[in-house]
Amino acid sequence: MERLQKILAQAGVASRRKCEEMILAGKVEVNGELVTTLGTKVDPATDIIKVSGRLVRGENKIYIMFNKPKGVITSASDDKGRKVVTDYLKGITERVYPVGRLDYDTEGLLLLTNDGEFANLLTHPKHHVPKTYLATVKGVPHGTALDKLKAGIKLEDGMTAPAEVEYKDIDEANKEAVISITIHEGRNRQVRRMFEAVSHPVIRLKRISFGDIMLQNLKRGSYRHLTKDEINHLQQIAKAGMLRDNQTRKDT
């Protein structure tokens, strides 16, 4: 069961606010009865909803994995005319939006959906869904620097949670290193700021996994639909994180 104005907006009738105005104006019927109360909950799978006499069909829920190129905005539109992720979703007619964000200069795995509950579940800070990145950094960090990242490091917005960090490659000639880092938070530019805090700025950043969903060989600028098993698995990871957080709160 979901709020009527939310269902109307998801079906593409109008914006959430405009849909609320339609309800208050007496233009919406549910199962043949006029509904003028905001917040009325309906079941889009079984209830018959009409706006000004026209049947509203629920929007199919879709879940997409996209390999975002560098130099693309994680948004559905941009007032500066820059490339946005939806420019690459040819054939997708539903209105989808990103699950979390990737910086303009960051590439890799980005999830998109039109399922708000799914997106909120994966991005809620209490659910601790792991995300893994490959960071190419200036210089070759000593073990002590990586230990700081593993333990949690102080940033301007507070201590980070412990991260999983390991070397992947070292380029002695160019004085660069590739480090795999897994975080369980979603702060703005977090990985970049973590490496800056240990004096090894990021040159290139690529997200390679979200939960246990791997980017693998998906080509840059391409997308694919998640399988039902992948969707369920992501939900299970997020819910397990929520349970751990609740138990931790009880223990403290």
Side-chain angles (χ1 to χ4, degrees):
M1 302 288 284
E2 293 186 279
R3 287 171 296 175
L4 179 57
Q5 58 265 40
K6 180 179 178 181
I7 296 298
L8 295 177
Q10 289 180 339
V13 173
S15 68
R16 183 83 63 91
R17 180 174 295 181
K18 187 66 176 177
C19 289
E20 291 175 349
E21 293 175 359
M22 291 177 176
I23 294 170
L24 293 173
K27 296 181 179 180
V28 181
E29 293 181 3
V30 177
N31 299 327
E33 296 185 5
L34 199 64
V35 175
T36 57
T37 303
L38 296 180
T40 298
K41 291 191 175 181
V42 298
D43 185 345
T46 59
D47 290 325
I48 299 173
I49 305 169
K50 293 183 179 181
V51 176
S52 298
R54 296 181 61 182
L55 182 65
V56 174
R57 299 189 180 279
E59 189 174 51
N60 291 328
K61 294 290 191 294
I62 62 172
Y63 310 85
I64 293 170
M65 181 174 76
F66 173 58
N67 187 350
K68 173 190 164 316
K70 179 180 178 180
V72 174
I73 301 293
T74 305
S75 176
S77 61
D78 180 62
D79 55 10
K80 296 181 180 178
R82 294 171 293 185
K83 279 277 189 180
V84 297
V85 293
T86 50
D87 290 336
Y88 294 84
L89 305 182
K90 307 303 182 185
I92 301 297
T93 57
E94 294 86 351
R95 297 185 301 171
V96 296
Y97 43 86
V99 179
R101 304 186 67 82
L102 285 181
D103 296 336
Y104 181 77
D105 290 324
T106 300
E107 59 185 300
L109 195 161
L110 180 69
L111 300 179
L112 298 103
T113 186
N114 57 354
D115 185 341
E117 184 177 350
F118 177 78
N120 291 334
L121 184 66
L122 295 186
T123 55
H124 197 290
K126 292 182 180 180
H127 298 173
H128 310 290
V129 178
K131 296 168 282 289
T132 301
Y133 298 77
L134 289 181
T136 303
V137 302
K138 290 184 179 180
V140 180
H142 294 295
T144 52
L146 298 190
D147 287 341
K148 291 179 180 178
L149 300 179
K150 291 177 182 179
I153 194 164
K154 188 175 182 179
L155 302 177
E156 61 268 24
D157 52 356
M159 290 290 294
T160 66
E164 300 164 33
V165 188
E166 65 175 314
Y167 288 109
K168 284 298 182 182
D169 193 21
I170 296 175
D171 185 344
E172 294 285 2
N174 292 317
K175 297 181 180 179
E176 297 175 358
V178 179
I179 309 293
S180 169
I181 179 168
T182 300
I183 62 173
H184 299 79
E185 302 167 283
R187 305 188 201 182
N188 183 41
R189 300 184 67 254
Q190 181 174 338
V191 172
R192 293 180 184 275
R193 291 190 292 132
M194 290 174 71
F195 279 103
E196 288 171 1
V198 294
S199 302
H200 290 280
V202 171
I203 300 170
R204 181 187 177 196
L205 189 60
K206 181 178 184 178
R207 184 155 72 190
I208 59 172
S209 74
F210 196 117
D212 285 346
I213 308 302
M214 307 294 294
L215 184 64
Q216 295 182 320
N217 59 353
L218 184 65
K219 293 182 179 180
R220 186 182 291 111
S222 298
Y223 72 89
R224 71 169 177 83
H225 292 268
L226 296 182
T227 66
K228 288 185 178 180
D229 285 344
E230 289 173 330
I231 296 166
N232 292 335
H233 193 57
L234 285 170
Q235 291 173 326
Q236 290 169 7
I237 292 173
K239 290 176 181 177
M242 178 174 58
L243 292 174
R244 286 194 302 271
D245 182 80
N246 290 339
Q247 186 60 50
T248 300
R249 289 175 179 272
K250 290 180 181 179
D251 293 341
T252 56

